[in-house]
Amino acid sequence: MFSITHSGAKPSPPDDFSRRRHTFQLHYEDALRELQGKFAARPGLAPAWTALEGFLNTEGKRLRPLVFLSAYELLDETRAGVAPVIYRVAAALELFHAFALAHDDIIDGSQTRRHQPTLHRRLAAETGGRNGENLALVLGDILFGYTVENFLLPGLDPARATAALRYFSTVAQDTGLGEALELSLLRTPLEAVTEEDIFNTYYLKTTRYTFEAPLVIAAILAGAPEPVLLSLHDYARPLGLAFQIENDLHETSGPESADDLRAGVKTLFLKRCHDVLPAEEAVALRAALAQGDPAEVHQHLNQRGTATKVVKELTAETAAHFQEARQVLLAAPLRPEQREGLLALTAFIHRHSRHSEARAGSASA
């Protein structure tokens, strides 16, 4: 019989990101209880809240609040610690993300989010039929309004809170513009779409609210000087591009993962594959895309090893974008400990850039 022996070594303390995530979760739950109160005052909305609560409690990477909290801790010159109201702003960023996902899943016809039913599917189970999509749209709008409310809580410096909310409003508009641009490209023939078109959608739809907003809003609330804000803006751009390309590569893991292909979204991966195919095969690929059949699209992409070559190419470009982000930090007007902290954040983002629906070992891992 074997006995378990202990080395006597103390367990490793949680790293900064685990600590921030744990504390964030406590304040996020506070925000959800407050939101629940708004629904509880309207008893007829009990089924809607059940679905929404399940959706909001299906944890993702919590990337946006973690980026925000990390930047705030590093940039706050008072060293007074992170006040509860700052965590509520972090919760607001996560709720805005939930709003965007709820609408995006309807647009893309997605059935799962983080390996669980999407909000509109949860609502359909509660209310039946098409009403699930309609309710998901409205609940998303409620989340957006609640996001704004969390920027106006007592305890924030009024001038900084106003500046942060003004900045957030431009990001929210650009997120919508990015979605609108992506949708407008659905009917544009793939051969007519440029990489610049795709990069514009990536910047507006992903970079601004996933990285730029958490970083810059944190800097505004921490009272960072203008040159630091500008550096964070420059840092976010390659970071967002790398992150979005990593997410696009999720589409290469198989037809069952191909919501964007099914919806006709023009991704950089798809554009690159199309442009290197011989003319006749490129025509066949476009015909498969028009039919909305991901299995047939994957078959065309895998001819001549095209997809494998493009994945390799884009993986190398992703690494180069992360390196570009690091170079921006090295040149930024930051104190050494701030720079080191943001470099650690870059490594954290790189490790957690896999798509929420990706399978272990997939191309986007």
Side-chain angles (χ1 to χ4, degrees):
M1 180 176 180
F2 293 97
S3 62
I4 299 174
T5 59
H6 298 280
S7 66
K10 294 181 179 179
S12 300
D15 61 29
D16 285 342
F17 299 108
S18 297
R19 171 181 56 80
R20 290 172 189 134
R21 185 185 179 106
H22 173 74
T23 309
F24 165 76
Q25 185 62 29
L26 299 177
H27 290 277
Y28 181 69
E29 290 168 4
D30 286 342
L32 294 194
R33 279 191 287 271
E34 185 177 303
L35 182 60
Q36 181 182 18
K38 298 175 186 290
F39 280 77
R42 289 87 181 171
L45 293 178
W49 171 252
T50 298
L52 181 60
E53 182 181 31
F55 177 69
L56 295 175
N57 279 318
T58 303
E59 285 194 37
K61 294 184 281 285
R62 301 292 197 233
L63 186 59
R64 291 150 193 86
L66 286 174
V67 170
F68 168 79
L69 291 167
S70 299
Y72 183 86
E73 280 192 44
L74 291 166
L75 298 172
D76 179 24
E77 297 289 354
T78 68
R79 309 294 182 87
V82 182
V85 71
I86 295 296
Y87 279 99
R88 287 297 294 268
V89 175
L93 294 173
E94 184 68 11
L95 290 167
F96 178 74
H97 179 46
F99 146 76
L101 294 181
H103 284 196
D104 208 40
D105 286 341
I106 295 172
I107 292 169
D108 292 343
S110 300
Q111 297 300 301
T112 62
R113 172 64 62 178
R114 300 164 180 164
H115 305 288
Q116 298 293 325
T118 53
L119 178 59
H120 62 274
R121 274 192 64 202
R122 292 172 186 267
L123 288 163
E126 293 285 344
T127 63
R130 174 66 188 279
N131 201 40
E133 292 186 3
N134 296 336
L135 263 175
L137 289 171
V138 176
L139 294 184
D141 294 340
I142 293 170
L143 290 177
F144 181 85
Y146 189 52
T147 295
V148 172
E149 183 180 338
N150 279 272
F151 277 87
L152 302 172
L153 296 175
L156 291 172
D157 177 276
R160 292 178 185 178
T162 299
L165 183 55
R166 184 179 297 114
Y167 176 80
F168 170 77
S169 71
T170 68
V171 171
Q173 292 171 61
D174 274 357
T175 302
L177 288 169
E179 184 70 53
L181 180 58
E182 182 176 276
L183 289 171
S184 72
L185 292 175
L186 294 182
R187 296 296 181 184
T188 304
L190 185 55
E191 68 273 23
V193 175
T194 67
E195 289 198 3
E196 187 62 28
D197 292 330
I198 296 169
F199 290 145
N200 280 336
T201 63
Y202 288 177
Y203 175 67
L204 294 170
K205 189 181 172 186
T206 299
T207 300
R208 290 218 70 196
Y209 97 88
T210 301
F211 297 110
E212 190 182 311
L215 290 163
V216 174
I217 290 172
I220 291 171
L221 294 177
E226 185 71 17
V228 171
L229 270 66
L230 294 174
S231 293
L232 293 175
H233 177 277
D234 293 340
Y235 164 64
R237 187 177 283 272
L239 207 58
L241 183 55
F243 184 82
Q244 184 59 58
I245 293 173
E246 285 273 11
N247 270 258
D248 286 348
L249 293 181
H250 169 62
E251 296 276 317
T252 69
S253 62
E256 70 281 357
S257 304
D259 284 338
D260 281 348
L261 286 179
R262 192 175 291 106
V265 175
K266 307 302 193 296
T267 65
L268 186 60
F269 165 74
L270 183 61
K271 175 64 176 173
R272 291 276 179 91
C273 286
H274 171 271
D275 288 357
V276 298
L277 286 173
E280 185 175 329
E281 292 178 17
V283 170
L285 171 62
R286 295 198 297 272
L289 287 166
Q291 293 172 8
D293 183 351
E296 188 175 346
V297 171
H298 271 268
Q299 182 178 344
H300 286 290
L301 294 178
N302 287 314
Q303 290 178 4
R304 303 174 183 268
T306 300
T308 300
K309 292 175 185 175
V310 172
V311 166
K312 185 176 180 179
E313 174 186 298
L314 289 177
T315 299
E317 288 183 24
T318 297
H321 292 312
F322 276 113
Q323 185 56 31
E324 181 185 349
R326 295 184 185 95
Q327 292 300 319
V328 172
L329 291 178
L330 293 175
L334 299 165
R335 289 189 280 101
E337 62 271 24
Q338 292 173 331
R339 183 174 292 107
E340 290 173 12
L342 289 171
L343 287 170
L345 177 62
T346 308
F348 176 84
I349 292 166
H350 201 169
R351 291 195 305 271
H352 293 81
S353 56
R354 190 172 71 179
H355 193 284
S356 64
E357 299 296 309
R359 301 191 306 271
S362 70
S364 58

